[in-house]
């Protein structure tokens, strides 16, 4: 399984007007009624009893539908479509001053953008405030924020639970004002984004996995709970190499709201990220392969002077093979091993030098 960005390049696929796989299904209530008649429930008393039993189910469904519609009414005005140089993506209004949070891979190398509200308002111009590719987040700002601009509310990521119903809002395939529904299917995922096609190469910890459909164009949008709060920013979708790189249905990832706020608050206040909260070894490295071209570790190309690794005695030419209890075979796996660590924390790093294996305690630096 690979992970791919969920933004829509300009040359992206079009939706056929008449999908060949389209099927129409009867409403559940019609099927249930038909089955009841076949079972002989045309009798008045039996029909009354069946109707009484079905009433709570219909009420529950109506309540849930009402919840969905309320959330959409509450949050969709805070979701925008971003037209960047490399394609279309989504964003979330962060405050009433016109700041919008999105993905770094959505803004790419652009400095100016056209922004349209997901509910169909006219286009507005915006400029980049700052991009932070290490966490695949960015903030842009509207040049002239309209009156009544509605900022989204962000949830506490610690309260997000597996099984929780969520809605993904954005502009998949350029279709503004789109909403998909699913659940939180896992939390605490660490995933890495490739650099191909404008990707940031970021390794991001504590991602929210969701079954809500995440399609090209959803990147930077909103993953929302039934309290009308943004729990995450949809960013990545899984792809299945066995399906020719097509999206793996029901497996998408979102950056948790607490991390979004941590990064966005710094960018809004300081114009840049001043405290990443991301641990680092302070090295430049590259993946090492054996004679069978199997990745076996990360060789240290450069250890920053007085950096975390250098202070622990690690030097150029050493090959890192383990961080804590996690095996390291590639640059990506090293990033993933560090993603769950904190700056200033101590971790055991195993490396080889001239055929000998060594383990040292490293006090981690910060990206």
């Amino acid at each position: 399984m690979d992970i791919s960005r969920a933004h829509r390049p300009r040359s992206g696929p079009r939706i056929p007007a008449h999908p060949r796989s389209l099927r129409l299904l009867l409403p559940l209530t019609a099927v249930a009624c038909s089955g009841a008649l076949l079972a002989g429930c045309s009798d008045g008393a039996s029909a009354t009893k069946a109707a009484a039993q079905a009433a709570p189910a219909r009420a529950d469904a109506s309540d849930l539908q009402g919840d969905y519609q309320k959330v959409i009414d509450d949050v969709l005005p805070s979701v925008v479509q971003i037209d960047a140089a490399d394609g279309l993506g989504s964003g979330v209004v962060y405050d009433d001053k016109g700041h919008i949070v999105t993905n770094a891979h959505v803004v790419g190398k652009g400095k100016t953008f056209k922004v349209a509200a997901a509910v169909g308002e006219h286009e507005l111009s915006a400029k980049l405030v700052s991009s932070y590719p290490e966490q695949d987040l960015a903030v842009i700002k509207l040049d002239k924020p309209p009156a009544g601009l509605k900022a989204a509310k962000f949830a506490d990521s610690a309260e997000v639970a597996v099984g929780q119903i969520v809605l993904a809002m954005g502009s998949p395939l350029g279709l503004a004002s789109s909403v998909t529904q699913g659940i939180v299917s896992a939390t605490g995922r660490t995933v890495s984004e490739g650099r191909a096609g404008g990707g940031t190469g970021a390794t991001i910890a504590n991602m929210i996995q969701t079954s809500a459909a995440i399609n090209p164009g959803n990147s930077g949008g909103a993953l929302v709970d039934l309290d009308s709060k943004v729990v995450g920013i949809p960013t990545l979708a899984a792809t299945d190499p066995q399906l020719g790189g097509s999206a793996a249905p029901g497996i998408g990832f979102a950056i948790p709201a607490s991390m979004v706020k941590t990064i966005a608050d710094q960018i809004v206040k300081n114009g840049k990220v001043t405290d990443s909260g991301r641990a680092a070894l302070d090295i430049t490295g590259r993946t090492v392969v054996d004679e069978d071209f199997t990745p076996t570790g990360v060789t240290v190309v450069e250890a920053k002077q007085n950096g975390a690794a250098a202070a622990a005695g690690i030097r150029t030419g050493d090959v890192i093979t383990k961080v804590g209890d996690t095996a390291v075979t590639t640059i990506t796996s090293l990033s993933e091993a560090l993603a769950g660590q904190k700056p200033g924390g101590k971790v055991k790093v195993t490396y080889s030098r001239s055929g000998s294996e060594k383990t040292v305690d490293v006090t981690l630096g910060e990206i």
Side-chain angles (χ1 to χ4, degrees):
M1 182 179 71
D2 295 333
I3 303 297
S4 67
R5 295 169 296 126
H7 85 298
R8 183 195 183 210
R10 294 189 181 278
S11 58
R14 295 180 179 272
I15 299 178
H18 303 285
R20 299 178 67 181
S21 60
L22 181 65
R23 295 180 60 200
L24 298 179
L25 301 179
L26 289 172
L28 183 59
T29 50
V31 175
C33 180
S34 173
L37 291 173
L38 288 174
C41 70
S42 57
D43 173 74
S46 298
T48 301
K49 182 178 179 181
Q53 291 174 338
R58 285 199 298 269
D60 289 344
S62 178
D63 289 346
L64 184 58
Q65 177 173 295
D67 289 342
Y68 283 5
Q69 291 172 333
K70 181 181 184 302
V71 172
I72 292 168
D73 289 343
D74 285 346
V75 183
L76 202 57
S78 302
V79 180
V80 302
Q81 183 180 83
I82 299 174
D83 188 348
D86 295 332
L88 296 175
S90 302
V92 179
V93 177
Y94 196 68
D95 59 29
D96 58 7
K97 296 178 181 178
H99 290 101
I100 294 169
V101 65
T102 184
N103 286 135
H105 77 255
V106 169
V107 302
K109 296 181 179 179
K111 302 297 181 183
T112 60
F113 312 92
K114 292 295 183 182
V115 175
V119 291
E121 297 291 337
H122 60 280
E123 276 193 347
L124 302 169
S125 60
K127 293 184 177 66
L128 178 69
V129 179
S130 185
S131 178
Y132 188 64
E134 291 83 352
Q135 196 68 35
D136 201 1
L137 289 169
V139 174
I140 65 176
K141 189 176 187 297
L142 296 174
D143 294 331
K144 295 180 180 179
L149 187 66
K150 184 179 180 181
K153 296 179 180 178
F154 287 77
D156 180 353
S157 299
E159 297 178 0
V160 176
V162 175
Q164 184 175 353
I165 294 174
V166 287
L167 305 178
M169 302 183 187
S171 300
L173 303 175
L175 299 171
S177 191
S178 292
V179 182
T180 56
Q181 175 267 340
I183 64 168
V184 172
S185 47
T187 59
R189 297 295 198 203
T190 297
V191 298
S192 296
E193 176 184 329
R195 295 185 182 276
T200 66
T203 296
I204 309 172
N206 298 318
M207 292 278 272
I208 297 169
Q209 182 179 318
T210 180
S211 63
I214 305 297
N215 291 300
N218 273 121
S219 276
L223 188 69
V224 185
D225 64 18
L226 293 188
D227 291 324
S228 299
K229 292 182 178 179
V230 177
V231 300
I233 299 294
T235 301
L236 302 167
T239 58
D240 189 344
Q242 295 182 348
L243 297 177
S246 299
I251 305 178
F253 300 94
I255 301 172
S258 295
M259 176 55 71
V260 174
K261 283 181 62 64
T262 295
I263 298 302
D265 282 349
Q266 294 178 62
I267 292 176
V268 169
K269 181 180 179 181
N270 306 311
K272 63 180 181 180
V273 175
T274 57
D275 180 8
S276 70
R278 298 284 302 272
L281 286 175
D282 299 326
I283 67 164
T284 300
R286 67 167 181 263
T287 301
V288 178
V289 297
D290 61 18
E291 57 188 16
D292 295 321
F293 299 101
T294 301
T296 58
V298 172
T299 187
V300 178
V301 176
E302 180 184 4
K304 180 181 177 181
Q305 187 175 6
N306 299 321
I314 298 174
R315 64 193 191 204
T316 300
D318 292 342
V319 178
I320 297 171
T321 57
K322 188 181 293 185
V323 172
D325 295 325
T326 303
V328 170
T329 56
T330 64
I331 279 287
T332 298
S333 65
L334 176 59
S335 297
E336 291 172 351
L338 292 172
Q341 304 291 334
K342 296 294 183 183
K346 288 190 175 182
V347 65
K348 292 187 180 298
V349 175
T350 301
Y351 64 94
S352 63
R353 177 185 296 167
S354 302
S356 298
E357 186 175 88
K358 300 177 183 293
T359 299
V360 293
D361 288 323
V362 178
T363 300
L364 295 167
E366 186 173 8
I367 292 178

